[in-house]
Amino acid sequence: MDIAERHLLADVDLGNLLYEDKAPFESKNLYPNPGIVFLERNKLSHTSFNYSLSQVPKVREITRWERFARIKGITKHKKARKVWDESSQTWKPRWGKDRIDSNKEKWCIEVPDNADPYEDQFEKATKARNERKAKNEFSRLKNIARSTKKGQAPPVGVQPEADASKNHFNRALEIAKRSDASMGLFSAEVNEQKIASKTE
């Protein structure tokens, strides 16, 4: 059997890139070039695979700030992570631990002219920071509430005034009961009447 006929008996598996020669081995008719036998492309059966995405990611709704920024033409400018500190002559992070203007490193804070000289400036700065954090969290919850459509489970946190009702509360309570690993099987009993009276 010559080389031209051997490929007729061979099994070709394109998925696994496998070529299995099932023709009997004859020592007289060895391949002229032992090793790999290249097959012509037109003799192989071509298999096509169709891949489709099972889930297309949903487009996230833009926040109030993003909508405002688009209208006003405000674009993001990426700031450098490190900033040069003149006092210590080193590079320091702009935010986070050991940031450049951290109150932890300051042993004194200059009192502004219009402020009470006996007011604790460290306490004032801490209070202002906590207020900023609370305001940001409140804005975040309002964005979640605004983006929630009717019929969806209510978001955790602030709800729009029009949708706030006892039914929404009960639904949120039912979801919260079943949101642990045991689907609420081993959760402690909740007195719904007591909670409902507090929310009204």
Side-chain angles (χ1 to χ4, degrees), residues 34-68:
I36 301 170
V37 177
F38 294 97
L39 297 175
E40 297 176 19
R41 288 180 75 85
N42 58 1
K43 292 179 182 173
L44 294 175
S45 61
H46 295 285
T47 310
S48 61
F49 299 97
N50 294 325
Y51 295 104
S52 61
L53 293 174
S54 59
Q55 289 182 344
V56 178
K58 293 180 181 177
V59 179
R60 180 181 64 86
E61 287 200 23
I62 60 172
T63 61
R64 189 175 176 186
W65 163 251
E66 289 170 342
R67 190 180 299 118
F68 175 77

Side-chain angles (χ1 to χ4, degrees), residues 15 57 74 82 87 115 128 170 178 193 197:
I74 300 169
K82 299 267 185 173
S87 60
N170 289 336
R178 295 193 192 98
Q193 300 296 329
S197 63

Side-chain angles (χ1 to χ4, degrees), residues 170-182:
N170 289 336
R171 189 168 172 200
L173 186 61
E174 288 299 319
I175 291 168
K177 278 185 190 175
R178 295 193 192 98
S179 61
D180 61 351
S182 66

